[in-house]
């Protein structure tokens, strides 16, 4: 069964969507985390059940992250995406808190360097789990902020949060 809730955050109201999962902490595997104004954001569908309690653990981790007390999420995700997207998303999951890497570095890690950098950018852009799967930590080769489905201002704020807490 698909469940959802919204929570307040420093980025605005986040939409959390999940699937019931007996193996997940709290019984919910996260399928999507959307930011306000996000390109391709999830939209609540008929038949989804509003279930704030199903996301208590996930919401608690998000609050701790935004407060600077959590640097790595421990959340079960719903499997999705193509094999290539999953490889790219695994590389995102491995980026340490407060560290940035380039699209080219991710492409090299997944065996898709050269022209494959664009495919990596597309896979990153399809990440349904903004914030918790840290695609905001990927930047251009020149160090500039490049594309973010949640908007560059949100990307800037997330990177600023992480860098200010490391100082």
């Amino acid at each position: 069964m698909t469940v959802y809730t919204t929570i307040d955050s420093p980025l605005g109201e986040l939409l959390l969507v999940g699937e019931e999962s007996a193996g997940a902490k709290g019984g919910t595997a996260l399928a999507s985390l959307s930011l306000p104004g996000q390109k391709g954001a999830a939209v609540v569908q008929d038949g989804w059940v509003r279930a704030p309690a199903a996301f208590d653990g996930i919401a608690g981790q998000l609050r701790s992250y935004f407060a600077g007390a959590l640097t790595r999420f421990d959340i079960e995700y719903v499997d999705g995406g193509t094999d290539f997207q999953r490889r790219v998303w695994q590389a995102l999951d491995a980026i340490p808190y407060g560290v940035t890497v380039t699209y080219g570095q991710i492409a090299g890690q997944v065996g898709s360097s050269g022209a494959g950098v664009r495919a990596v950018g597309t896979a990153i852009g399809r990440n349904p789990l903004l914030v918790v799967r840290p695609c905001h930590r990927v930047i251009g080769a020149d160090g500039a902020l490049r594309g973010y489905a949640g908007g560059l201002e949100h990307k800037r704020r997330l990177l600023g949060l992480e860098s200010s807490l490391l100082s």
Side-chain angles (χ1 to χ4, degrees), residues 1-26:
M1 174 171 51
T2 302
V3 293
Y4 75 96
T5 195
T6 56
I7 63 167
D8 290 327
S9 83
L11 303 176
E13 187 176 73
L14 306 179
L15 173 62
L16 307 179
V17 179
E19 296 290 334
E20 290 182 331
S21 169
K25 291 181 183 178

Side-chain angles (χ1 to χ4, degrees), residues 79-91 110 123:
D79 287 332
T82 65
D83 179 60
F84 179 72
Q85 287 171 335
R86 287 190 300 272
R87 288 195 336 260
V88 170
W89 297 342
Q90 279 184 313
V110 300

Side-chain angles (χ1 to χ4, degrees), residues 41-152:
V43 176
V44 176
Q45 304 290 315
D46 288 340
W48 289 8
V49 176
R50 185 174 186 85
F55 295 93
D56 284 348
I58 295 168
Q61 288 187 53
L62 285 163
R63 281 190 296 276
S64 293
Y65 168 80
F66 286 120
L70 182 76
T71 60
R72 185 151 186 88
F73 292 97
D74 183 18
I75 297 171
E76 181 181 322
Y77 305 142
V78 172
D79 287 332
T82 65
D83 179 60
F84 179 72
Q85 287 171 335
R86 287 190 300 272
R87 288 195 336 260
V88 170
W89 297 342
Q90 279 184 313
L92 295 178
D93 287 334
I95 303 170
Y97 181 91
V99 173
T100 56
V101 300
T102 66
Y103 291 92
Q105 288 172 306
I106 297 290
Q109 288 176 25
V110 300
S112 187
S113 56
V117 171
R118 284 183 187 240
V120 164
T122 299
I124 290 171
R126 294 205 172 119
N127 170 23
L129 300 168
L130 299 191
V131 183
V132 297
R133 181 179 287 142
C135 55
H136 60 276
R137 297 178 188 153
V138 183
I139 59 174
D142 60 358
L145 299 186
R146 302 274 184 239
Y148 186 62
L152 289 180

